[in-house]
Amino acid sequence: MQLPDSQSSQQAPRPIGVFDSGIGGLTVAGALRRLLPAEHISYIGDTARVPYGGKSAATIERYSRELSRMLLDDGAKLIVVACNSASALALSALQSSLEVPVLGVIQSGAVAAVAATRSGCVGVIGTRATVNSGAYQQAIRALNPDVRVEAAACPLLVPLIEEGWLEDAVTEAVVARYLEPLLQKGIDTLVLGCTHYPLLQGALKSYAGSGIILVDSAKNCALEVQALLSSRGISSSAEGAGSLRVSLTDPSSAFLRVAENALGLDVGEVHLRPVG
Ligand code: DGL
């Protein structure tokens, strides 16, 4: 961990700016690195103020504006809100006020869920902020009003993941408690509506069984970014390899190592950029 980073942003090529409430959004950064290896990515995790999942809409919007401004200072050509809670509660405010395109993780997850379901019953799990916002429910119904959405807030999952208890009897019991009611309701597709949850895919898959399709919002968001970059003609030229620059707003980094291991992602040097 370095001391506060004052590096300015004026370097070309312009990066894709990615932010999350903390480390979980690295699942999106990892998917972007795999799909778009020529792109430079500037990632900010708001570890000083995580979790967002239990906070009010006004607070989440204020934090999201602040992090977006920092990414614009880095020269970001596009901002990815790699946090479901912030996508649910702040995306439209950012889209209507920022000078670059802004993408969240909810629309791409909704599209993938509607394409995947055969029974017409989709489960969504996420933080309280995401589930109570109704954002997934609305996005899925807008795509296909015949699809039924069963959503469940799973507030205990984020702390278990951050603790690194990805394969643990306690985590399995919590997963069972959250998923069983959704399975009883006949879902055949489960949207992982929180950026942390792809790290728990093993436990979720093993409880849900092979008949349930898991929709990983990280992967789908990366595909949406790829389409947007190419439609706007702002993809990085193929020359030279891209990079990932990770900044955190607080140096606590235990979960960073958990995420790095689980994602097979080397984040390298981490920069400290305090907020507020
Ligand atoms: N990143 C958040 C999300 O995807 C989960 C962690 C939090 O509550 O801040 O909703």
Side-chain angles (χ1 to χ4, degrees):
M1 182 69 57
Q2 277 199 331
L3 289 172
D5 180 10
S6 58
Q7 180 181 325
S8 149
S9 49
Q10 310 314 331
Q11 322 150 299
R14 297 173 70 187
I16 297 172
V18 180
F19 78 83
D20 178 41
S21 58
I23 306 289
L26 283 177
T27 55
V28 176
L32 286 168
R33 288 291 294 140
R34 281 189 292 280
L35 189 67
L36 302 167
E39 295 293 339
H40 296 278
I41 297 169
S42 176
Y43 177 96
I44 303 180
D46 196 3
T47 42
R49 301 183 294 203
V50 71
Y52 284 10
K55 293 192 168 67
S56 69
T59 298
I60 292 175
E61 185 181 320
R62 181 161 55 84
Y63 292 171
S64 300
R65 284 184 188 279
E66 200 175 345
L67 298 170
S68 298
R69 189 43 58 196
M70 290 160 73
L71 291 169
L72 291 177
D73 289 345
D74 292 345
K77 59 184 174 184
L78 157 74
I79 289 180
V80 178
V81 184
C83 171
N84 286 263
S85 307
S87 295
L89 293 160
L91 186 67
S92 51
L94 299 178
Q95 284 174 329
S96 60
S97 61
L98 299 184
E99 56 269 32
V100 298
V102 186
L103 286 181
V105 280
I106 289 182
Q107 182 63 21
S108 48
V111 169
V114 168
T117 184
R118 296 287 165 262
S119 70
C121 185
V122 168
V124 176
I125 53 174
T127 64
R128 282 206 174 93
T130 299
V131 168
N132 293 345
S133 75
Y136 270 106
Q137 296 90 320
Q138 280 165 28
I140 290 171
R141 284 192 197 115
L143 291 164
N144 184 344
D146 295 331
V147 171
R148 191 155 57 89
V149 182
E150 299 291 346
C154 304
L156 293 178
L157 293 186
V158 165
L160 288 168
I161 294 167
E162 299 212 339
E163 199 55 39
W165 292 10
L166 306 181
E167 289 169 21
D168 187 281
V170 172
T171 307
E172 283 164 17
V174 174
V175 164
R177 178 89 173 251
Y178 284 139
L179 291 196
E180 188 51 30
L182 296 177
L183 298 176
Q184 292 294 333
K185 287 173 181 154
I187 64 162
D188 72 343
T189 301
L190 180 67
V191 179
L192 310 187
C194 171
T195 45
H196 280 58
Y197 297 172
L199 300 180
L200 208 55
Q201 270 204 50
L204 293 166
K205 220 182 186 88
S206 112
Y207 187 78
S210 56
I212 306 289
I213 300 158
L214 299 192
V215 172
D216 168 351
S217 50
K219 200 162 82 189
N220 292 296
C221 176
L223 290 167
E224 202 185 345
V225 169
Q226 183 183 43
L228 189 138
L229 291 176
S230 92
S231 73
R232 302 231 176 178
I234 53 172
S235 302
S236 169
S237 72
E239 298 153 31
S243 62
L244 171 63
R245 182 175 195 275
V246 174
S247 308
L248 302 178
T249 58
D250 182 274
S252 57
S253 61
F255 178 49
L256 185 60
R257 301 305 155 214
V258 173
E260 262 188 314
N261 288 340
L263 293 171
L265 189 68
D266 179 11
V267 304
E269 192 180 352
V270 174
H271 304 261
L272 179 61
R273 296 174 76 173
V275 280

